[in-house]
Amino acid sequence: MAASHALEGQSSDWLQDSEDLLVRFGLNDEDADARHRNRGAQLHMFSDARLPQLAPDRVFPNLVAVSRGAALSIQIRARSRQPLGFGFRIATGAEPVVDRLYAVNRADGWGFRNVTVRRFQHEANLITVDLMRARLGPSHRLEALQQLWTCDITTWDVHQFLDPIAARVYTRNTPRFGPLPRPGPVDTRRGTAREADDGAALQVNAGVIWADGSTEQTFERIQVQAEADPDRDFFGRLRVHFFVIDPD
């Protein structure tokens, strides 16, 4: 068995790209399969994390450490530059977890919209994290698995969309909701470095995003007719590395 590595870093309530994009990873407590998987599971978020014994000079700006096999929820809190809302993508180096979904609900008092994802967009599977080395084999080479070690969360502006239920087209000049609130301060409270229950530093190994289990989550359907280019004109992009917590 490969040795695990002590993790050091700043515990975070939210992972942050800028003042307009915050992301929170949690344990999925909505789906029955997820609740079964997550019994006794842990999840911690870190910013500016290090593995001092393995790679003392490397910094992981955003890191999620989670129990092996746990099912995740991913909450995106973003403040778009347009009054209609934002599109978002959650993608590993190999393929998207979510390709194009949209948050066009009413903004909160700070101008943010919130959306939570618990599944892959194009297959009704939970978003889980497995141990990278456990997936090594003839069908999963290290180079391919390393592409599943990270995911990028990207957000961009929506300029026009059709709501098929209301049969109305919404634009910047005719938004779905009233004017955006005046932007306010963003709460990015950070805790102290996380430690395991016994007081020792968390021991971790590299993890991979994996589709597994089943979920009941559905997504609102809209027809987006104009939007910013998510590859060139995004207003937020955040990369996260995943690690599995050693249970011993």
Side-chain angles (χ1 to χ4, degrees):
M1 180 179 293
S4 55
H5 310 284
L7 175 64
E8 295 181 359
Q10 188 73 21
S11 154
S12 299
D13 293 323
W14 292 89
L15 302 178
Q16 182 178 12
D17 167 67
S18 66
E19 65 178 11
D20 294 324
L21 172 60
L22 297 94
V23 180
R24 172 181 284 163
F25 288 81
L27 294 172
N28 179 346
D29 62 359
E30 296 292 328
D31 296 294
D33 192 3
R35 290 194 296 270
H36 176 73
R37 287 170 169 272
N38 291 343
R39 290 174 185 167
Q42 301 180 59
L43 184 147
H44 305 288
M45 295 190 304
F46 296 89
S47 58
D48 299 329
R50 298 174 184 270
L51 303 173
Q53 296 173 333
L54 179 66
D57 298 326
R58 181 167 185 179
V59 177
F60 298 89
N62 302 290
L63 186 149
V64 172
V66 62
S67 299
R68 181 182 176 185
L72 305 182
S73 65
I74 305 174
Q75 181 183 358
I76 299 172
R77 184 170 185 244
R79 185 163 50 193
S80 55
R81 298 166 296 188
Q82 299 293 330
L84 295 182
F86 64 89
F88 65 96
R89 174 184 294 154
I90 304 171
T92 68
E95 60 183 2
V97 175
V98 164
D99 187 16
R100 291 189 186 216
L101 288 178
Y102 299 91
V104 293
N105 52 317
R106 187 185 298 275
D108 66 16
W110 302 116
F112 286 92
R113 290 176 172 87
N114 288 272
V115 61
T116 300
V117 175
R118 311 190 310 268
R119 57 167 285 181
F120 282 70
Q121 181 177 357
H122 298 301
E123 49 189 331
N125 291 129
L126 299 169
I127 303 168
T128 70
V129 175
D130 200 0
L131 191 63
M132 183 183 293
R133 68 168 183 264
R135 290 289 175 175
L136 285 172
S139 60
H140 298 105
R141 301 295 184 184
L142 180 60
E143 294 79 6
L145 289 172
Q146 285 177 332
Q147 293 183 305
L148 306 177
W149 187 21
T150 65
C151 78
D152 291 331
I153 299 167
T154 306
T155 54
W156 61 91
D157 293 313
V158 172
H159 298 305
Q160 180 174 309
F161 72 92
L162 166 68
D163 180 345
I165 297 177
R168 292 190 60 182
V169 172
Y170 297 102
T171 68
R172 179 176 182 176
N173 295 327
T174 57
R176 189 182 196 180
F177 302 108
L180 287 174
R182 182 177 179 180
V186 179
D187 182 5
T188 57
R189 292 171 295 175
R190 304 286 172 92
T192 58
R194 297 271 182 148
E195 295 186 332
D197 292 341
D198 60 3
L202 286 174
Q203 301 291 315
V204 298
N205 272 294
V208 289
I209 287 285
W210 208 258
D212 204 359
S214 60
T215 173
E216 296 83 40
Q217 184 178 25
T218 59
F219 301 118
E220 178 185 8
R221 294 185 179 274
I222 62 170
Q223 181 181 334
V224 174
Q225 299 171 324
E227 61 187 321
D229 185 334
D231 297 316
R232 299 181 181 180
D233 191 23
F234 53 87
F235 67 82
R237 177 168 287 175
L238 183 147
R239 172 164 291 185
V240 180
H241 282 80
F242 296 93
F243 284 81
V244 170
I245 300 171
D246 191 331
D248 297 331

